[in-house]
Amino acid sequence: DIQMTQSPSTLSASVGDRVTITCRASQSISSWLAWYQQKPGKAPKLLIYKASSLESGVPSRFSGSGSGTEFTLTISSLQPDDFATYYCQHHQGTFGQGTKLEIK
Amino acid sequence: EVQLVQSGAEVKKPGESLRISCKGSGYSFTSYWISWVRQMPGKGLEWMGRIDPSDSYTNYSPSFQGHVTISADKSISTAYLQWSSLKASDTAMYYCARHGRDDRQDAFDIWGQGTMVTVSS
């Protein structure tokens, strides 16, 4: 089975900061990588699919990059609504362990 | 509106059986796979397995194979997750999610609201 590893587990940042979350796959997954945002008590929400494609309605401050085994999610200028937990996922199903983005 | 609507919260005793549901609407239910995802309290997302509603073909994560059963009734656009004998460790929120197609292939583009299952004596 393919394993997905995210880093960091927790990230403290301020409004306006640029932040990057990394996701590594245990073997090549081409570009089949998705990113989700989850807020407390809510279902996850798809942000990015196929590594770099922005889901409809998602603000352009979110971007994804990478291929093979190394991927990143970048938020260019943090907004108050962005403080949440972020998960990467191999399109076939396996999730990373999550990154909690906290207010510094 | 495309949506997945899940059944309500459940409180069960260890050893009891349970089936929870996920009803799709606003799209062709048989054209998209459905997955189930577990989230234990305070923990991350775990993919459990998936089903093709058109023919009920299923695929399970090794971690959940044999512990749960995923099924679907395409006539009522509903997928199910069931347990034959619950354990306290099954206490979690369970989400169903629709697999996207084309470039969104197998990314989970639509999610249900979640069903909380509590197993306690």
Side-chain angles (χ1 to χ4, degrees):
Chain A
D1 276 10
I2 296 172
Q3 306 300 316
M4 308 300 295
T5 304
Q6 278 181 245
S7 60
S9 297
T10 306
L11 181 57
S12 296
S14 302
V15 172
D17 284 354
R18 178 184 180 92
V19 299
T20 297
I21 299 168
T22 297
C23 179
R24 290 184 174 86
S26 59
Q27 64 189 73
S28 177
I29 58 171
S30 185
S31 295
W32 298 113
L33 192 283
W35 290 97
Y36 301 86
Q37 177 193 66
Q38 188 181 31
K39 296 181 179 179
K42 299 294 187 182
K45 171 188 172 184
L46 179 64
L47 300 176
I48 302 282
Y49 60 92
K50 209 174 179 185
S52 60
S53 296
L54 195 66
E55 177 68 337
S56 177
V58 174
S60 59
R61 62 181 180 273
F62 291 91
S63 64
S65 65
S67 65
T69 61
E70 296 266 342
F71 302 88
T72 58
L73 172 70
T74 299
I75 309 172
S76 60
S77 178
L78 272 174
Q79 299 301 302
D81 192 50
D82 300 338
F83 292 95
T85 300
Y86 293 85
Y87 295 92
C88 65
Q89 183 211 21
H90 175 215
H91 279 217
Q92 289 291 328
T94 309
F95 291 93
Q97 76 275 23
T99 295
K100 185 175 183 180
L101 181 52
E102 299 180 328
I103 300 174
K104 185 185 287 185
Chain B
E1 180 190 3
V2 175
Q3 59 180 348
L4 296 172
V5 178
Q6 297 185 228
S7 50
E10 301 275 0
V11 179
K12 291 289 191 179
K13 290 180 166 45
E16 292 186 331
S17 62
L18 175 65
R19 188 177 77 168
I20 61 175
S21 66
C22 168
K23 183 175 178 59
S25 62
Y27 73 98
S28 174
F29 186 71
T30 55
S31 296
Y32 296 80
W33 289 65
I34 295 285
S35 269
W36 287 93
V37 176
R38 183 176 78 174
Q39 188 167 40
M40 300 177 77
K43 302 299 183 182
L45 304 172
E46 300 173 271
W47 177 70
M48 301 176 71
R50 59 186 179 179
I51 188 165
D52 178 350
S54 68
D55 62 6
S56 289
Y57 174 82
T58 54
N59 178 219
Y60 294 90
S61 162
S63 299
F64 292 91
Q65 178 86 48
H67 296 288
V68 296
T69 301
I70 296 171
S71 60
D73 184 340
K74 62 184 178 182
S75 69
I76 54 171
S77 300
T78 301
Y80 301 98
L81 178 66
Q82 68 180 65
W83 296 259
S84 59
S85 180
L86 286 160
K87 303 174 184 177
S89 57
D90 292 318
T91 294
M93 181 70 82
Y94 293 88
Y95 294 100
C96 62
R98 189 184 82 164
H99 289 228
R101 294 176 60 178
D102 304 319
D103 278 356
R104 292 178 179 78
Q105 185 178 348
D106 290 325
F108 296 174
D109 62 352
I110 303 294
W111 291 70
Q113 83 277 19
T115 296
M116 184 67 206
V117 174
T118 303
V119 184
S120 174
S121 55

